[in-house]
Amino acid sequence: MAPPVNSEKTSLIPNSRDAERQTTIRTVRQNLTALCVVWMFTFTAYSGLQNLEASLNLDLGIYSLAAITGSGLITCILAPAIIKFTGCKGALIISWICFCVFVGSNYYPKTYSLIPGSIIIGLGTGLLWTAQGVYVTTSALDYSDVTGEKIDSVVSRFFGIFCMAFQSTQIWGNLISSLVFRDVNNNITIDDVTHCGADDCPVNLPPFSNQTSPISNKPDDTTVYVLLTIYLGCVVAGLVITVLFLKPIKSRGSERDTGAMTLLTSTLRLLVTDLNMVLLVPFCLYTGMEQVVLFAEYTKSFVTCSLGIDWVGYTMICFGVCNTIGSPIVGWLCRYVGRGVLFLFAAVMNIALIITMLLWHPSPSNKVMFFVVPGLWGMADAVWQTQSAALIGVVFAHKQGPAFGNLRMFQAMGFTIAYIYSNQLCQYVKLYLIGAFLVVSLTLVGVVHIRRKNHPNSNYTRVGDVT
């Protein structure tokens, strides 16, 4: 006689699986929410300072931003090996401590204080962006597994949600600086803006060697200290939330079981062995360079030069609003129109704005354009930032750590290159350069798309392989 079936035990199996499914969904939602909130606090401080550095500290501010992104190159390479020991959560905690040091260094912005502070925060950026990429991608993969939704659409949506929170920091950071600086008096007239905009050149280049500083009235030290204290409080709040509410996570890529020495070189090894990664290098560079156009060039040569430093925050809020709204919309649209169409839209938008800035002569008498340019640039940037990360997450799903390390490394390199030549070239030359680089990088993205279409099951294509 057959033994009796334990119907109670059998009935518990589906319930157990359902409970596990619900637990996974809750964990994914908690981590994604915590990650978004943490980024909103910490990057409210960083975004606000980033937009003001070139205007507050002139040449030193540009070199400070270059030091941040330049030192970030180091940890982008080392990030997978470091994260193996610290975990993604530990890497974020270290990064926020570095943020505190940087904000503190702005209280006394001298070469021997601001530059070291910038180097320290730069060392943290490589860790935090690699850890963020792993957090969002792994969460999306887990969610896809338990819901059955397509991986590509989940990854795009999750990065869209995250980028919405991240880009909203341009609103909060700039709103804070605008309110703090609202009483700063900038007496700028039409005659003062002759060399603003695309005609703005470094003061050591003829015919602008006698050009004076575009900042007629810099905020007093007390006002700056108030702003820095608010920003420091934001970073500390983000650190506390990370410690208390963000749950540890492990990458689902094969690198989690790899030795430390192998991980140490994994970022560069992926670069030299995977042709897709090589082809995406110019695109990664562009996603950094295009942000410098707005964060440093536009704020200094157009806004501060023509309107005054107290207008920087207000105009950049427009960028933040459009970027914040656009990020989740882009993630949703990718499901229906595809990533290629979105990239084409952003490219056309950037080219149109570059042409506009080349032809536009900024003047205090017409303030509308000062808001239109960053707003439209924010819509394009929403595509670049959400879909560059989503593209890396999908193409290199089984090599997340090294792939995101490369993305952030070359993005940081793009920032650094653009910051370094910022003080050497006239504005119109820099606009021509960024436009040409956009065309080249997007063409290579198209090549990667074709390769992936021809090899849909390939996750790791060697450089010597034939397409």
Side-chain angles (χ1 to χ4, degrees):
M1 179 181 294
V5 177
N6 190 335
S7 58
E8 180 180 356
K9 182 177 180 179
T10 303
S11 64
L12 288 177
I13 294 177
N15 292 334
S16 176
R17 290 175 178 173
D18 186 64
E20 183 178 352
R21 176 178 177 274
Q22 293 301 322
T23 299
T24 300
I25 292 176
R26 280 196 301 270
T27 301
V28 167
R29 288 175 176 171
Q30 177 178 332
N31 274 339
L32 186 60
T33 301
L35 207 66
C36 290
V37 173
V38 167
W39 246 256
M40 286 176 65
F41 274 104
T42 55
F43 275 83
T44 285
Y46 181 74
S47 296
L49 275 178
Q50 177 182 241
N51 295 337
L52 292 170
E53 281 291 349
S55 298
L56 277 177
N57 301 310
L58 296 181
D59 289 349
L60 183 59
I62 289 291
Y63 293 129
S64 167
L65 295 171
I68 292 174
T69 55
S71 59
L73 295 174
I74 299 173
T75 44
C76 283
I77 297 173
L78 303 178
I82 296 174
I83 290 175
K84 179 180 176 65
F85 291 100
T86 65
C88 288
K89 180 175 179 176
L92 292 179
I93 292 173
I94 294 172
S95 299
W96 305 142
I97 294 174
C98 293
F99 270 50
C100 291
V101 174
F102 171 68
V103 176
S105 70
N106 277 268
Y107 280 92
Y108 195 70
K110 302 297 182 181
T111 302
Y112 52 81
S113 58
L114 186 58
I115 298 302
S118 301
I119 292 173
I120 289 173
I121 189 179
L123 294 174
T125 56
L127 287 178
L128 72 91
W129 284 115
T130 301
Q132 174 267 336
V134 173
Y135 254 107
V136 177
T137 302
T138 301
S139 296
L141 292 172
D142 290 343
Y143 190 84
S144 175
D145 285 347
V146 299
T147 62
E149 193 173 342
K150 290 179 61 177
I151 292 177
D152 210 341
S153 62
V154 176
V155 171
S156 292
R157 188 168 72 251
F158 275 31
F159 273 105
I161 293 171
F162 170 81
C163 285
M164 176 183 67
F166 167 52
Q167 298 297 353
S168 74
T169 62
Q170 286 288 341
I171 301 174
W172 319 127
N174 289 304
L175 179 61
I176 291 171
S177 68
S178 296
L179 293 175
V180 173
F181 289 163
R182 67 184 181 277
D183 294 326
V184 175
N185 183 30
N186 288 280
N187 299 313
I188 297 177
T189 65
I190 299 294
D191 294 334
D192 297 324
V193 301
T194 306
H195 302 307
C196 293
D199 292 329
D200 185 29
C201 284
V203 293
N204 60 329
L205 291 181
F208 305 99
S209 55
N210 295 321
Q211 191 175 334
T212 58
S213 167
I215 304 176
S216 58
N217 290 286
K218 184 178 178 179
D220 62 87
D221 289 344
T222 301
T223 304
V224 175
Y225 293 157
V226 170
L227 178 66
L228 293 175
T229 302
I230 295 172
Y231 284 160
L232 184 60
C234 290
V235 178
V236 172
L239 174 61
V240 171
I241 295 172
T242 301
V243 172
L244 297 180
F245 298 104
L246 192 65
K247 292 188 176 182
I249 197 171
K250 287 185 178 181
S251 167
R252 290 177 55 174
S254 58
E255 66 268 15
R256 64 185 179 185
D257 300 319
T258 307
M261 288 304 297
T262 302
L263 281 172
L264 197 61
T265 59
S266 60
T267 299
L268 293 178
R269 192 170 63 253
L270 179 64
L271 176 65
V272 299
T273 59
D274 193 302
L275 183 55
N276 284 340
M277 192 73 254
V278 175
L279 293 171
L280 289 174
V281 166
F283 178 65
C284 296
L285 288 169
Y286 178 77
T287 61
M289 295 171 71
E290 62 92 10
Q291 294 182 70
V292 174
V293 172
L294 206 68
F295 297 159
E297 311 296 357
Y298 181 76
T299 56
K300 183 180 70 171
S301 296
F302 287 83
V303 182
T304 301
C305 185
S306 303
L307 300 180
I309 194 171
D310 55 324
W311 282 89
V312 170
Y314 291 120
T315 56
M316 291 300 288
I317 286 174
C318 198
F319 167 83
V321 169
C322 292
N323 210 318
T324 301
I325 296 173
S327 292
I329 292 176
V330 166
W332 175 76
L333 282 176
C334 184
R335 183 176 182 180
Y336 299 98
V337 302
R339 192 171 292 113
V341 173
L342 294 174
F343 280 160
L344 183 60
F345 163 80
V348 171
M349 186 73 71
N350 276 167
I351 294 295
L353 290 171
I354 289 170
I355 294 173
T356 298
M357 285 189 280
L358 285 168
L359 300 177
W360 174 36
H361 298 286
S363 169
S365 61
N366 181 18
K367 293 186 174 67
V368 175
M369 280 298 296
F370 290 95
F371 294 89
V372 173
V373 171
L376 296 180
W377 198 279
M379 293 173 62
D381 186 66
V383 175
W384 301 133
Q385 301 311 313
T386 60
Q387 297 309 305
S388 63
L391 178 64
I392 292 294
V394 171
V395 174
F396 305 100
H398 299 286
K399 290 286 179 180
Q400 292 177 38
F404 280 108
N406 272 292
L407 170 63
R408 300 310 175 185
M409 178 178 69
F410 285 105
Q411 190 174 63
M413 188 179 293
F415 271 105
T416 305
I417 293 171
Y419 284 137
I420 289 175
Y421 69 56
S422 178
N423 286 336
Q424 313 302 322
L425 302 174
C426 291
Q427 195 61 244
Y428 66 88
V429 176
K430 290 178 278 190
L431 290 172
Y432 282 127
L433 283 175
I434 196 67
F437 206 81
L438 168 58
V439 175
V440 173
S441 62
L442 201 62
T443 299
L444 295 178
V445 170
V447 174
V448 173
H449 174 72
I450 294 172
R451 285 173 55 80
R452 187 165 174 251
K453 185 177 181 180
N454 292 337
H455 303 277
N457 297 320
S458 175
N459 291 304
Y460 194 68
T461 307
R462 298 188 177 279
V463 173
D465 289 350
V466 178
T467 50

